[in-house]
Amino acid sequence: MAESPRALTVDDVHSAHKVLAGVARMTAMEGSRHLTELVGSPVHFKCENLQRTGSFKIRGAFVRIAAMTAEERARGVVAASAGNHAQGVALAASLLGVRSTVFMPVGAPLPKLAATREYGAEVVLHGQVVDESLAAAVEYAQRTGAVFIHPFDHPDVVAGQGTVGLEILEQCPEVRTIVVGVGGGGLVAGVALAVKALRPDVRVVGVQAEGAAAYPPSLAAGRPVALDSVATMADGIKVGQPGEVPFRIVGDLVDEIRTVSEDALSSALLLCLERAKLVVEPAGASPVAALLSDPAAFEGPVVAVLSGGNVDPLVLQRTLRHGMAAAGRYLSLRLRLTDRPGALAALMGELSAADANVLDVSHVRTDPRLGLTEAEVEVHLETKGPEHCAEVAEALRRAGYTVHPFPGDSRGAAGPRA
């Protein structure tokens, strides 16, 4: 239901900035000492995770609804989202006195569901995935006359998101590279539109999750191309096809699109929490993941846009465990012991002496693979990093234990193997 693309200019972004006065916050710009040391030049975070509703989405949603006619506002608005766009539309509509309906998947995280309702939207749970919710929202718009608010494929939305770029230039005029997470492309297109008009020397780099990277094949084809499937923990950029409006801008103005792994996303989220004391969702951490993956590729000063902080606590827990595993902070081992009294206690003593924290132990005596006098132990340990993992494994070998490869565990805490 996207409208035909029209040419956008930096004037549209300036106009959006005026519309957002008193609505969207100028979010903080925070330095990152750790990434500055890694990259070799200053790195700053643009903290849109601290924006109203917890993400940049309020910017585009408010500008879009504010531009509607009185007749359109009377019909109400409808959107589909699993989180950030839902909350942005709900609050924007409430501030403008417009009725809003938001379709969300049945499995949408409870905190995001509750927040959307608290911001004033009527929430309808439909479908198991966002695509099913989207189809229901489109049908609702056709049936009722409500105006469908697209999350990224509309000129007003792109202009609203572009106000992030204006703020970056004001807060960090010496910036040389801006790194932005990319899903449908509304944010990176808006930022590029604003920045390239005022500072064409600044590089704008987009970042996609490897499992949801629709822009590289689309740019190669010269048109938006739909992926056959998308799979990533970063729900905020889990989009299978670029929007027509942002695609044209991205193709013309964005210097590079990079992809990052799930391990890199997890490590980036962990870094934001531990080192920057910022709660950031995986999509919001994608620029940090790109910096961690290839720090030499970015000329500084660098600004990484932390686009959102609306992470479900259960997802945060799993992601942090995955990030700790990727950082070598977990170690899982399988060992065989002589099945005699005190054998397990002796193993625990060796692990204690190696300063490894035991998280879980599984002790098996009856497996047919084992000899009559053997027992097998699987241990999951918390360690201090890759070097400590190697030290623990070597200490066990010196103590006479045979350490077998461990095939992995379903909880994401397997970490380095020995």
Side-chain angles (χ1 to χ4, degrees):
M1 294 194 63
E3 297 183 4
S4 299
R6 64 174 173 82
L8 281 168
T9 71
V10 70
D11 290 337
D12 294 295
V13 183
H14 282 297
S15 296
H17 195 253
K18 294 178 182 178
V19 171
L20 289 169
V23 176
R25 299 170 180 151
M26 178 181 278
T27 50
M29 185 81 74
E30 298 287 346
S32 171
R33 185 176 65 178
H34 178 78
L35 287 176
T36 293
E37 293 174 354
L38 187 67
V39 172
S41 58
V43 175
H44 306 279
F45 293 150
K46 175 61 172 168
C47 299
E48 284 295 289
N49 58 311
L50 303 180
Q51 184 57 263
R52 297 180 73 174
T53 74
S55 86
F56 71 97
K57 289 289 190 178
I58 181 65
R59 296 174 182 266
F62 189 89
V63 173
R64 170 72 176 99
I65 299 172
M68 290 165 47
T69 65
E71 185 274 333
E72 288 174 325
R73 293 192 193 189
R75 284 154 39 197
V77 298
V78 61
S81 169
N84 290 346
H85 181 57
Q87 294 171 69
V89 169
L91 179 58
S94 293
L95 292 173
L96 291 164
V98 177
R99 184 181 68 258
S100 63
T101 303
V102 176
F103 284 77
M104 303 181 76
V106 172
L110 293 178
K112 295 182 179 182
L113 185 65
T116 303
R117 285 177 172 146
E118 289 172 9
Y119 287 130
E122 177 186 352
V123 175
V124 179
L125 297 178
H126 181 91
Q128 299 301 314
V129 296
V130 176
D131 285 346
E132 294 175 359
S133 304
L134 178 63
V138 170
E139 189 277 330
Y140 178 90
Q142 294 170 341
R143 174 166 48 84
T144 66
V147 178
F148 179 70
I149 307 299
H150 200 285
F152 51 82
D153 204 10
H154 192 280
D156 292 334
V157 173
V158 172
Q161 319 304 29
T163 59
V164 173
L166 295 181
E167 291 180 12
I168 290 172
L169 294 183
E170 179 179 344
Q171 293 171 296
C172 186
E174 68 277 15
V175 64
R176 298 293 300 166
T177 306
I178 299 174
V179 192
V180 187
V182 180
L187 178 60
V188 74
V191 168
L193 185 68
V195 170
K196 290 294 187 178
L198 301 172
R199 286 282 306 281
D201 58 303
V202 174
R203 283 179 59 81
V204 178
V205 178
V207 182
Q208 294 205 285
E210 287 179 352
Y215 264 92
S218 296
L219 291 170
R223 58 180 175 80
V225 173
L227 299 176
D228 293 332
S229 62
V230 291
T232 177
M233 70 178 74
D235 286 343
I237 54 175
K238 190 177 180 180
V239 178
Q241 182 172 342
E244 292 280 354
V245 175
F247 177 77
R248 295 173 61 183
I249 299 170
V250 171
D252 289 341
L253 299 179
V254 174
D255 295 284
E256 183 183 7
I257 298 290
R258 288 178 164 257
T259 61
V260 293
S261 68
E262 299 297 286
D263 281 353
L265 287 168
S266 298
S267 297
L269 190 148
L270 182 63
L271 182 144
C272 289
L273 189 63
E274 283 192 323
R275 304 301 293 267
K277 317 307 178 190
L278 292 168
V279 176
V280 181
E281 60 192 272
S286 58
V288 179
L291 291 170
L292 290 174
S293 300
D294 191 4
F298 300 90
E299 180 185 358
V302 178
V303 172
V305 180
L306 307 183
S307 58
N310 292 317
V311 58
D312 177 50
L314 295 176
V315 174
L316 179 61
Q317 181 183 42
R318 291 196 299 268
T319 305
L320 288 178
R321 288 178 65 88
H322 190 89
M324 291 180 72
R329 303 264 291 276
Y330 285 131
L331 176 64
S332 296
L333 303 172
R334 175 180 292 163
L335 308 98
R336 289 192 181 182
L337 313 175
T338 302
D339 189 13
R340 57 177 174 76
L344 183 58
L347 173 61
M348 295 299 105
E350 293 291 343
L351 292 172
S352 176
D355 204 20
N357 184 33
V358 179
L359 299 174
D360 187 38
V361 178
S362 176
H363 192 202
V364 179
R365 291 186 175 92
T366 57
D367 194 299
R369 295 173 300 148
L370 300 174
L372 291 175
T373 61
E374 287 184 322
E376 187 170 76
V377 176
E378 294 178 0
V379 291
H380 302 278
L381 311 170
E382 183 180 3
T383 60
K384 301 173 183 177
E387 291 183 2
H388 189 212
C389 287
E391 292 169 3
V392 171
E394 182 57 31
L396 291 174
R397 292 189 181 98
R398 286 199 306 267
Y401 294 97
T402 300
V403 182
H404 295 279
F406 188 84
D409 71 46
S410 61
R411 296 167 299 174
R417 308 297 182 206

